[in-house]
C-alpha cells in the first residue's frame, strides 16, 4: 500500500484455532514504527496477566493461553515476530510507555489532521447525478453532506455525522505524504473536461495545508486517493445513503427506477 508498506498481524492466542483469530493493523510508514507497535502490544498483553509473587512459568502459561502475539510484514516479507522477545517481556515489567501501543498508533496521525473533499458526478441526465462533501476533523468527528441529484429547489440535502475510522485516516495521510500532496509546488489544477466528474480536496496536517483537484492526477492515482478518502466514512453510512437515494429516485423518477 503506497505510503503504508508495513502492517502488523495480531494473533489472538486464546482463539488461535478459529479461522478469524488474526487481524491486520495497517498504516505503518516505516518498519521501525511497525516493530515498535508489535513489541508494545505483546508486552502489554503480558503485563495484563502479571500478578504479585507470580512464577515466571505461570505468567508464560497465561500469556500463551490468553495473550496476543504480533508479527510485522512488509515488502521484504515477515521481518519481526514479537514473541521472539518474550523472555525479556517476562523478566521485566514494562513501563507505561513501553506498553502504550494505542498511543503509538494514534501518533501516526497528526493531531491537526482535517480535510474537506467535494465530489461531483459527471454531467449526466437525472437520475444519474449526485454529489457529496466529506468533512473530517480536526479531532474524531466527521460529517457528510449528500445530494441525491443536482442540488437545487426540491432536492433534499442530507447531512449525517459519523466517527471517522482512525486506520483509514492514517492510511490516507500516508498516501497523501507519499503522493507529494504537501509539496510547495502542488497547485489546484484547471477545470476538468466539461461533463467529467470532479473531486476537490483541501487538507491540513502537521501544520501544512494542501489543495488539490483530483483530475490533476493520473487515473490510477485519482482512483487510489478517491477510494482512500471514501474509506474514512463507515460502510454502513454509505449503504444507508445509497438506499435513501434509491428511494428518492423511485419517487422522483419512477420510470427510471
Amino acid at each position: 500500500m503506497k505510503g503504508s508498506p508495513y502492517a502488523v498481524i495480531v494473533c489472538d492466542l486464546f482463539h488461535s484455532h478459529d479461522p478469524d483469530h488474526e487481524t491486520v493493523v495497517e498504516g505503518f510508514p516505516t518498519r521501525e514504527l511497525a516493530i515498535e507497535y508489535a513489541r508494545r502490544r505483546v508486552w502489554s498483553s503480558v503485563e495484563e496477566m502479571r500478578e504479585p509473587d507470580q512464577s515466571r512459568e505461570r505468567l508464560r502459561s497465561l500469556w500463551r493461553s490468553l495473550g496476543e502475539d504480533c508479527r510485522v510484514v512488509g515488502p521484504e516479507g515477515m521481518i519481526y515476530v514479537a514473541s521472539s522477545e518474550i523472555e525479556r517481556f517476562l523478566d521485566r515489567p514494562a513501563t507505561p510507555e513501553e506498553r502504550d501501543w494505542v498511543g503509538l498508533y494514534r501518533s501516526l496521525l497528526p493531531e491537526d489532521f482535517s480535510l474537506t473533499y467535494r465530489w461531483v458526478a459527471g454531467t449526466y441526465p437525472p437520475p444519474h447525478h449526485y454529489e457529496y462533501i466529506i468533512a473530517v476533523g480536526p479531532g474524531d468527528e466527521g460529517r457528510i453532506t449528500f445530494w441525491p441529484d443536482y442540488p437545487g429547489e426540491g432536492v433534499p440535502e442530507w447531512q449525517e455525522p459519523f466517527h471517522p475510522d482512525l486506520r483509514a485516516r492514517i492510511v490516507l495521510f500516508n498516501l497523501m505524504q507519499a503522493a507529494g500532496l504537501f509539496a510547495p509546488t502542488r497547485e489546484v489544477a484547471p477545470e476538468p473536461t466539461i461533463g467529467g466528474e470532479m473531486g476537490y480536496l483541501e487538507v491540513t496536517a502537521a501544520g501544512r495545508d494542501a489543495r488539490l483537484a483530483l483530475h490533476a492526477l493520473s487515473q490510477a492515482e485519482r482512483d487510489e486517493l478517491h477510494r482512500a478518502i471514501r474509506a474514512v466514512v463507515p460502510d454502513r453510512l454509505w449503504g444507508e445513503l445509497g438506499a435513501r437515494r434509491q428511494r428518492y429516485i423511485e419517487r422522483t423518477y419512477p420510470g427510471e427506477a
Side-chain angles (χ1 to χ4, degrees):
M1 183 176 296
K2 189 173 183 180
S4 303
Y6 295 94
V8 175
I9 301 174
V10 182
C11 174
D12 178 355
L13 297 176
F14 180 70
H15 295 98
S16 59
H17 298 294
D18 295 345
D20 57 351
H21 71 283
E22 293 187 335
T23 57
V24 180
V25 182
E26 300 172 312
F28 297 95
T30 68
R31 61 185 288 155
E32 292 77 15
L33 284 168
I35 289 172
E36 182 61 19
Y37 174 91
R39 177 182 292 119
R40 292 188 186 191
R41 185 155 182 168
V42 173
W43 206 345
S44 180
S45 79
V46 171
E47 294 308 313
E48 289 175 1
M49 298 163 207
R50 193 186 299 272
E51 298 177 355
D53 302 321
Q54 184 183 50
S55 70
R56 200 168 183 274
E57 291 70 25
R58 174 60 177 166
L59 180 56
R60 186 201 305 274
S61 177
L62 286 172
W63 170 76
R64 283 179 171 170
S65 300
L66 305 172
E68 291 182 332
D69 195 7
C70 293
R71 60 187 187 274
V72 176
V73 296
E76 316 94 317
M78 187 171 67
I79 60 175
Y80 173 76
V81 180
S83 56
S84 65
E85 297 191 67
I86 191 62
E87 301 305 322
R88 183 164 74 93
F89 301 160
L90 294 172
D91 285 341
R92 180 175 68 80
T95 66
E97 181 180 359
E98 287 172 330
R99 62 181 299 188
D100 185 15
W101 54 274
V102 175
L104 186 150
Y105 192 67
R106 182 83 197 186
S107 73
L108 299 180
L109 184 73
E111 291 185 3
D112 64 345
F113 180 83
S114 63
L115 70 84
T116 301
Y117 178 59
R118 180 175 186 114
W119 184 86
V120 179
T123 309
Y124 306 119
H128 305 292
H129 180 93
Y130 62 101
E131 305 179 13
Y132 56 80
I133 297 175
I134 298 171
V136 171
D140 296 330
E141 295 183 354
R143 178 174 295 274
I144 184 168
T145 305
F146 192 100
W147 294 269
D149 204 339
Y150 289 95
E153 185 177 354
V155 175
E157 176 184 290
W158 302 322
Q159 293 192 19
E160 295 292 341
F162 64 89
H163 182 83
D165 181 74
L166 177 59
R167 181 208 63 83
R169 282 180 286 165
I170 291 172
V171 169
L172 174 58
F173 170 67
N174 291 344
L175 176 60
M176 292 175 175
Q177 289 259 85
L181 262 64
F182 298 101
T185 56
R186 176 73 74 176
E187 297 180 354
V188 175
E191 290 296 317
T193 304
I194 294 175
E197 68 178 47
M198 297 179 289
Y200 293 97
L201 174 67
E202 296 184 7
V203 60
T204 295
R208 298 168 298 172
D209 298 317
R211 299 173 65 236
L212 176 71
L214 265 65
H215 55 269
L217 306 175
S218 69
Q219 186 66 53
E221 291 176 316
R222 185 187 318 160
D223 291 344
E224 185 176 29
L225 186 54
H226 179 72
R227 285 194 299 269
I229 296 170
R230 282 181 59 98
V232 173
V233 181
D235 289 340
R236 169 196 56 78
L237 184 50
W238 283 120
E240 291 176 2
L241 290 170
R244 196 182 302 178
R245 179 170 181 262
Q246 182 60 36
R247 291 193 294 270
Y248 166 83
I249 292 172
E250 291 171 355
R251 291 193 309 268
T252 311
Y253 305 102
E256 300 287 344

